[in-house]
Amino acid sequence: MSTIYIYLSFAGMIGSVKAENEINVTRNFLPFLEEPQNTDYSFEYISCEKLGNLQGKLLYAGKEYDVIQKENGDIIRVFKDHQEDDCVYGYSKLVPFENTVKIFYLKGNEQHFDDTNNSFFHSSWEQVMLWNKRMILHAALIDTVYGGILFSGKSGVGKTTQAELWMHLENARQINGDRPILYQNNKEWFGCGSPYAGSSECYINECIPIKAIILLEQGDRTELQQLGISETVKRIYANCTVYTWNKEFIERIINLITDLASEVPVYRLVNKADQESVETVKKELLKEVIK
């Protein structure tokens, strides 16, 4: 049986996918393909005849997977096919000291791993990013003459609209429309593209310095307010991908958000999704440039 390798780059890191079956690289992953090279982390997909003992303490129960803590302390994801009476077909386990996620699945279930989208669903990718001091924020990321701007907030609050206003009025360039990756390098924070871009379908493999984060609220006026660290941490946390069943995950992401809040200005923008909101943010960013 031949082994398939796929190499991908995200946020300044190289990862590999090792599999026993062919994996179709979907359109959203194509910009992130790399040539074979040394890697920072890996995902290994391993077929088997039996899955072994998957019993333990239930930490989370979901439609497509459960999270179990075994007696030895290991935390695993147990995957189930809700279209087949919740039949268990595999599980995944992070091996921290190897920076590897191993996904074991029953032979005959290769359809769950036949492209990059469904393969990554099983990979605990967010945890691997966080263990490498990177976090995924629900936001739209644009590149402007002032620097990178992230628009974040609840679903439906207008992130896409703000990005489009800046692209139309300020010739901004969109990097990602839904789940950019944030990380720090040499005391500077960067926002990066990812293969998850929502309706924008903007899959750009690029990292840009972050100038500001704008937390959006809809309203009948335009008002911009810079937030303090504690309020920023609370609001950014609410818009991050978090494994709430994992205490170490929560601690790590809060620490990372606190670092971000200490070094990148974060604002609350009440707005009507119009040109005035763009001008208000521009005025504030120009102040920062003058400083």
Side-chain angles (χ1 to χ4, degrees), residues 48-93:
C48 53
E49 298 291 344
K50 295 181 179 180
L51 295 177
N53 180 14
L54 303 180
Q55 300 302 309
K57 180 182 178 182
L58 181 65
L59 301 181
Y60 169 82
K63 182 178 181 181
E64 296 174 308
Y65 66 87
D66 297 334
V67 179
I68 304 291
Q69 185 170 30
K70 302 184 74 175
E71 287 186 2
N72 63 1
D74 287 346
I75 295 177
I76 62 173
R77 283 193 189 192
V78 178
F79 300 101
K80 52 192 181 181
D81 190 338
H82 64 275
Q83 295 181 340
E84 296 290 340
D85 296 323
D86 288 343
C87 179
V88 172
Y89 63 85
Y91 74 95
S92 66
K93 174 185 174 183

Side-chain angles (χ1 to χ4, degrees), residues 1 27 31 62 65 93 114 123 125 157 164 201 212 216 227 237 242-243 251 260 264 268-269 274-275 280 288:
M1 181 182 296
R27 182 170 68 90
Y65 66 87
K93 174 185 174 183
D114 60 3
S123 70
W125 182 59
V157 77
E164 290 175 346
E201 298 188 355
L216 298 171
L227 300 177
Y237 178 87
V242 180
Y243 293 178
E251 290 172 0
L260 173 71
V264 175
R268 167 181 170 264
L269 175 65
D274 57 8
Q275 185 172 355
T280 300
E288 294 293 326

Side-chain angles (χ1 to χ4, degrees), residues 43 77 120-121 123-132 134-136 179 196 241-243 249:
F43 302 136
R77 283 193 189 192
F120 262 63
F121 166 76
S123 70
S124 301
W125 182 59
E126 298 90 351
Q127 186 171 356
V128 172
M129 289 291 106
L130 183 59
W131 263 235
N132 288 278
R134 285 150 171 82
M135 63 182 179
I136 299 167
R179 297 180 71 196
Y196 303 103
T241 301
V242 180
Y243 293 178
F249 191 108

Side-chain angles (χ1 to χ4, degrees), residues 127-184:
Q127 186 171 356
V128 172
M129 289 291 106
L130 183 59
W131 263 235
N132 288 278
K133 297 185 177 180
R134 285 150 171 82
M135 63 182 179
I136 299 167
L137 180 65
H138 185 38
L141 171 63
I142 60 171
D143 188 17
T144 76
V145 295
Y146 311 99
I149 303 175
L150 286 152
F151 295 105
S152 187
K154 298 177 181 179
S155 295
V157 77
K159 296 180 289 295
T160 299
T161 300
Q162 284 296 323
E164 290 175 346
L165 280 169
W166 277 80
M167 287 188 283
H168 175 67
L169 299 171
E170 295 295 324
N171 199 30
R173 184 170 61 98
Q174 189 164 41
I175 304 298
N176 185 271
D178 189 52
R179 297 180 71 196
I181 308 166
L182 281 58
Y183 81 104
Q184 186 183 38

Side-chain angles (χ1 to χ4, degrees), residues 182-209:
L182 281 58
Y183 81 104
Q184 186 183 38
N185 185 33
N186 293 328
K187 297 184 178 181
E188 186 171 24
W189 280 87
F190 291 85
C192 309
S194 86
Y196 303 103
S199 60
S200 73
E201 298 188 355
C202 183
Y203 312 115
I204 295 180
N205 187 6
E206 189 174 330
C207 295
I208 59 173

